[in-house]
Amino acid sequence: MTNDAWPDAVYDLLRANRVTQICYVPDAGHKVLIDRSLADPDVHSVPLTTEEEGVAMVAGADLGGQRAVLLMQSSGVGNCINMLSLTQGGRFPFLTLVSMRGEFGEGNPWQFAMGQAVEPVLKAMGVIVLRAEQPSEVIPAVSAAITMAFQSGQQVAVLLTQRLIGAKKF
Amino acid sequence: MAKLSKLQTATLPDAVLDRRQAVPALIERPGDFLMVAGLAGTAWELSALTHESPSLFGLGGAMGAAPMMALGLALAQPKRRVLVATGDGELLMNVGALATIALQNPPNLTIICVDNGHYGETGNQDSHTGLGVRLDVIAAGCGFPVVHVINTEADMAEGRRLVREGGGLSFILLRVTEGPATHDGKKNLVPHIERDRFRAALLG
């Protein structure tokens, strides 16, 4: 898969798996998914003011019988920590796609602290972490995460790594 | 000793209602709603009010979660009326959720903020609303189409009507005095049991 085709394929995969609530704090790495959710009349596209709102919303969607996904940047993972006690304690299915900063080729020193903490923080709160480093790895990783979350009731994050999406140019 | 002063902009009258009567009087028949209640007082009092109905998800932690859980639920269940009861402390922790919810504008959602102006679970410290921060003004500024403040018994009838009939996404500020919420003696809310129970009752 080419480097510009996977975002559309991820959107199609989410929709084929009945995800109907898509919430996000905007990030360049999620631009295609956000734009497609806004153009999709069968989806609730929900911009958040902070990522932890999305953790709670995903749980509420599950209570009502819908599937949701949270899109965020790595910095937003830090904003979610205590809210993930809801996800873990309630055994809510949880799927998040995290666009990474603060790793491969990062040019902004502010991004490193949280970027490097993403995996240990998520794991500490009971979230399983999958990584996609190459375009060919994205669909298998998201597909696996969908099964783990919605079929097995797990909490799963797919990290869309900086090697995959490219370091931001300043 | 440091002391926090009331804001000079604080204009609401002192609260007079007792939550132990006011919350049941406002909700009346809880069986008509899907409900989320935030920690701690609102979860205890709705749990007591509903006798632990499966249509209630009560939070004992994850402070700030209740309004956004209710949004996800209201979007998923557009034909049901969804109520969320939350304290002033919890709402303040994630006050941006009001902006997020207003943008979605689900007509079947009512937020009831049981505002006692204090952090009742942690030593009764003044909260920001107790010192004059206006959550009703914040909700209106976020774009809530319906905002109603209940200061006295005289404001209750309109509150009850809004809870039942809506008329759009609603924010009700129920101002109550300090003092304990109704608690039926239950020790703990177990989140995964609540989830399973709620979903089984709603979704089969």
Side-chain angles (χ1 to χ4, degrees), chain A residues 21 44-50 52-54 56-66 82-83 85-86 88-93, chain B residues 36 57 59 62-65 68-73 75-77 93-94 96-97 99-100 103-104 191-192 194-195 198-199 202-203:
Chain A
Q21 297 190 23
H44 298 288
S45 180
V46 183
L48 309 165
T49 71
T50 178
E52 66 182 291
E53 291 175 5
M57 200 190 96
V58 167
D62 173 75
L63 283 185
Q66 284 195 345
N82 183 52
M83 202 61 86
S85 47
L86 169 66
Q88 188 183 78
R91 301 180 194 168
F92 285 98
Chain B
V36 178
F57 189 95
L59 287 142
M63 188 166 175
M68 285 301 296
M69 281 193 84
L71 175 64
L73 177 58
L75 294 176
Q77 290 289 326
M93 182 164 280
N94 243 336
T100 298
L103 281 188
Q104 296 299 313
H192 71 91
E194 288 192 279
R195 171 187 177 253
F198 192 104
R199 285 174 50 90
L202 177 63
L203 306 168

